[in-house]
Amino acid sequence: MKTIFQLIPLLYIFLFISCKSETKKSDTKDDTLSAEVIKENDPNIVIIYLDDLGYGDLSSYGATELSTPNIDALAEGGLKFTNGYASSATCTPSRYALLTGMYPWKNKDAKILPGTAPLLISTEQQTLPKLLKTQGYKTAIVGKWHLGLGTGVVNWNEKVKPGPNEVGFDQSYILAATQDRVPTVYIKDGNVVGLDKNDPIEVSYKKNFEGEPTAIDNPEMVEMKWHHGHNSSIVNGIGRIGFMKGGDSAKWVDTEMADHFLKKAQDYVKENKDEPFFLYYAMQQPHVPRTPHPRFVGKSGMGPRGDVILEADWCIGEFMKTLEEEGILENTLVIFSSDNGPVLNDGYYDDAVEKIGNHDPNGGLRGGKYSIFEAGTRVPFITYWKGKIEPGVSDAIVCQMDLLASLANLTGTEETTTDSKNVLDALLGNAEEARESLILEASGRTALRKGDWLMIPPYKGENFRKEVGIEVGSFPYPQLYNLNEDMGQKNNLAEANPEKLEEMMTTFTSLRGADNAADVKEIQFR
């Protein structure tokens, strides 16, 4: 056994090496943001999430017929992603992936939900707000929810739970489903806002309540004519999906919704600015029914759809002003995106098709909402952090599903129990690459993005969805596209490049699972 005197020289050597190492670290200039440095500052985190906004709907993403200066300011002052994805081509699955970090196709119930659907997220499940709460954050959602409420039978006249508050949000101020679905009321922490107990709410998605007018039976009461699907209860002169009775004092005013949610988001910032917070600001625009405030009517020249995009841009500008006025802009990470791609006619005659002019909501991509083609899931995606993120453009493949693991890293912890990948370096502009591969989903159909390539397996059914005027990507043969050379997916290379097709099919099956990849088992590699 060595004596203490024999160990002293070794101790000196250890101290010398340690000092040299620390000196080298301090002498080396490093402008990148480390998780340790970030954790010391506990940045606020805001996700601004639009509804049905297309890749080409912003002037910062190439739109020439619409001007969106406030969102453009985020893109120009932050990092604009050209390969940013929602997990899915429809709303509920994308929101599920965003908050849980899980592929939505792993949950059979993760599809467009009615307003009476039970809570889709398990209260035992990991979620983004839950994770951030463990890191000392206050958490809130303002805006659209559409992830189900309650356990299947909801009494809207009592506290509705479980809901956002039971899956990690300290505060919630939401609309239950979508603006075109009943119930057409705001819900604060599980309670309907402004409800008169003497006028109770009743909701059904199966049959109407006796004596209640509907858009199909009482067209004279409708101010916004329905095209498909929106012919049930009439609220504010607009036919909705589903039937509702009562609750008149609690019903929202559609044209005031944008201002209403903006005020709630601003108030939350002002009330919580002294402690780190996470705010999920889920805006309703440009989803139908498109009901701009009178201030914005006619401003775009494209009808209500263009007008509500301008309205949303203004709201975001006002919200960013609040961050600055409250002195927290430089300590707030803002993430901007959309739940899926665009659609023009999504159920109402509102001139979206007739007044589109030269505007391309897809930004050169093929498909749209509901589609497995790129325009269904590739969406605007921007990260902004004044003074921390260097302005630029990134071609890295990033997905909203990855925010869970990435923000875990940002706040000094780790999340490895979900499908979410830590791509924080890419989100902050410190890496040029992020995901290598990603499974994308559209109404149960899935495809693989890997590097520059996209592979769509063969699917049964019609490709063109006539009622919305969108190709959904269903063909009885495989499709293979090099997106770097063919962004618009015009040249199917499945036959010309069988080796790459086979490689993509193998990866797809390994990620999706053999049982879930049944649609591709019979492919002939030609």
Side-chain angles (χ1 to χ4, degrees):
M1 180 180 294
K2 293 185 179 181
T3 68
I4 185 65
F5 299 103
Q6 290 174 306
L7 291 174
I8 287 175
L10 296 175
L11 180 60
Y12 276 115
I13 293 172
F14 173 77
L15 291 174
F16 176 78
I17 292 172
S18 298
C19 289
K20 289 288 287 182
S21 175
E22 290 302 314
T23 300
K24 184 175 181 181
K25 288 179 182 178
S26 62
D27 288 345
T28 302
K29 181 175 176 57
D30 185 1
D31 293 329
T32 61
L33 295 171
S34 68
E36 292 79 7
V37 170
I38 292 169
K39 178 58 183 169
E40 290 178 6
N41 297 327
D42 283 330
N44 305 306
I45 300 167
V46 176
I47 295 177
I48 301 176
Y49 208 49
L50 267 72
D51 197 351
D52 295 355
L53 186 78
Y55 188 80
D57 273 327
L58 306 175
S59 38
S60 49
Y61 274 80
T64 58
E65 308 302 303
L66 282 175
S67 177
T68 51
N70 295 296
I71 301 173
D72 293 352
L74 298 179
E76 292 162 5
L79 200 58
K80 183 183 83 170
F81 288 87
T82 63
N83 287 298
Y85 286 90
S87 71
S88 306
T90 52
C91 47
T92 297
S94 292
R95 293 163 196 272
Y96 177 82
L98 170 71
L99 292 180
T100 68
M102 294 297 295
Y103 276 122
W105 44 264
K106 291 185 176 181
N107 184 334
K108 64 179 177 60
D109 296 320
K111 52 191 175 183
I112 301 175
L113 296 177
T116 52
L119 181 64
L120 179 62
I121 301 172
S122 167
T123 56
E124 304 300 316
Q125 200 167 348
Q126 175 66 293
T127 67
L128 181 53
K130 275 185 183 178
L131 181 141
L132 292 175
K133 282 181 71 171
T134 67
Q135 297 304 101
Y137 279 70
K138 292 185 176 181
T139 60
I141 172 176
V142 171
K144 175 177 173 176
W145 178 238
H146 208 187
L147 288 165
L149 294 168
T151 57
V153 180
V154 174
N155 182 347
W156 301 97
N157 307 291
E158 299 177 353
K159 189 177 182 69
V160 179
K161 63 179 186 179
N165 300 80
E166 285 69 43
V167 294
F169 287 106
D170 296 319
Q171 297 182 39
S172 65
Y173 195 99
I174 62 169
L175 61 88
T178 57
Q179 192 179 343
D180 58 343
R181 285 175 171 81
V182 297
T184 53
V185 296
Y186 299 120
I187 301 170
K188 180 181 180 182
D189 297 327
N191 295 298
V192 172
V193 177
L195 178 64
D196 180 355
K197 297 294 185 181
N198 295 317
D199 182 25
I201 295 174
E202 296 180 71
V203 174
S204 173
Y205 274 70
K206 294 181 180 179
K207 64 179 182 178
N208 191 23
F209 299 98
E210 185 176 355
E212 292 297 308
T214 65
I216 195 167
D217 293 330
N218 304 91
E220 74 282 357
M221 298 178 63
V222 175
E223 297 174 12
M224 183 182 291
K225 185 179 178 182
W226 60 275
H227 179 272
H228 61 270
H230 298 83
N231 55 16
S232 300
S233 288
I234 303 170
V235 180
N236 302 331
I238 301 171
R240 311 285 169 154
I241 299 174
F243 304 99
M244 177 178 174
K245 179 181 179 181
D248 286 345
S249 64
K251 290 176 181 175
W252 63 52
V253 177
D254 290 271
T255 55
E256 297 176 2
M257 183 175 288
D259 286 351
H260 192 76
F261 282 143
L262 170 62
K263 180 68 163 52
K264 296 300 178 183
Q266 290 173 315
D267 288 348
Y268 181 81
V269 168
K270 294 174 183 178
E271 293 165 5
N272 294 275
K273 63 182 179 181
D274 295 329
E275 295 183 62
F277 65 79
F278 164 55
L279 173 61
Y280 173 35
Y281 181 16
M283 303 174 74
Q284 86 280 8
Q285 303 104 318
H287 194 283
V288 296
R290 294 145 185 160
T291 54
H293 189 278
R295 299 191 310 273
F296 296 95
V297 172
K299 295 295 185 182
S300 70
M302 293 185 193
R305 184 176 187 275
D307 294 345
V308 298
I309 291 175
L310 300 189
E311 178 183 59
D313 180 73
W314 177 84
C315 288
I316 290 168
E318 294 301 299
F319 178 79
M320 296 303 293
K321 284 180 187 177
T322 300
L323 293 179
E324 187 168 21
E325 290 167 356
E326 298 302 318
I328 58 174
L329 180 61
E330 295 184 358
N331 194 41
T332 302
L333 170 62
V334 178
I335 301 168
F336 172 90
S337 198
S338 175
D339 63 347
N340 48 250
V343 57
L344 297 181
N345 182 349
D346 208 15
Y348 297 97
Y349 289 99
D350 64 359
D351 289 335
V353 174
E354 292 79 4
K355 293 186 177 181
I356 191 65
N358 295 321
H359 180 59
D360 177 15
N362 289 358
L365 302 175
R366 187 177 180 182
K369 182 179 180 179
Y370 311 109
S371 177
I372 198 65
F373 285 129
E374 281 288 277
T377 52
R378 198 196 294 199
V379 291
F381 196 122
I382 300 166
T383 55
Y384 176 92
W385 190 354
K386 186 176 181 180
K388 300 294 193 301
I389 292 178
E390 289 292 324
V393 177
S394 174
D395 297 327
I397 299 173
V398 294
C399 181
Q400 297 160 9
M401 181 174 65
D402 296 329
L403 292 179
L404 178 63
S406 302
L407 294 178
N409 188 18
L410 177 79
T411 56
T413 188
E414 185 179 29
E415 168 51 52
T416 59
T417 65
T418 66
D419 298 314
S420 185
K421 302 295 183 184
N422 176 17
V423 296
L424 181 64
D425 284 343
L427 296 178
L428 298 179
N430 298 328
E432 294 182 357
E433 296 182 353
R435 268 191 174 268
E436 179 185 358
S437 58
L438 175 66
I439 299 288
L440 299 165
E441 187 268 343
S443 303
R445 291 157 294 134
T446 48
L448 171 68
R449 172 77 197 261
K450 182 179 180 182
D452 291 336
W453 296 85
L454 183 89
M455 187 280 299
I456 304 173
Y459 286 107
K460 298 177 182 178
E462 294 293 324
N463 172 50
F464 189 73
R465 186 164 173 176
K466 186 176 180 180
E467 61 185 7
V468 292
I470 290 174
E471 284 188 282
V472 296
S474 294
F475 290 98
Y477 47 79
Q479 300 173 72
L480 180 69
Y481 301 98
N482 184 325
L483 298 177
N484 186 48
E485 300 175 355
D486 181 23
M487 179 179 173
Q489 295 176 279
K490 297 177 181 178
N491 187 18
N492 183 5
L493 300 175
E495 290 192 21
N497 197 336
E499 294 81 10
K500 174 58 70 171
L501 177 62
E502 184 168 11
E503 173 196 320
M504 296 286 285
M505 297 303 305
T506 300
T507 302
F508 177 79
T509 302
S510 67
L511 294 174
R512 187 75 165 88
D515 292 340
N516 292 319
D519 293 281
V520 302
K521 287 182 178 179
E522 302 303 319
I523 286 184
Q524 299 297 314
F525 299 110
R526 295 168 293 183

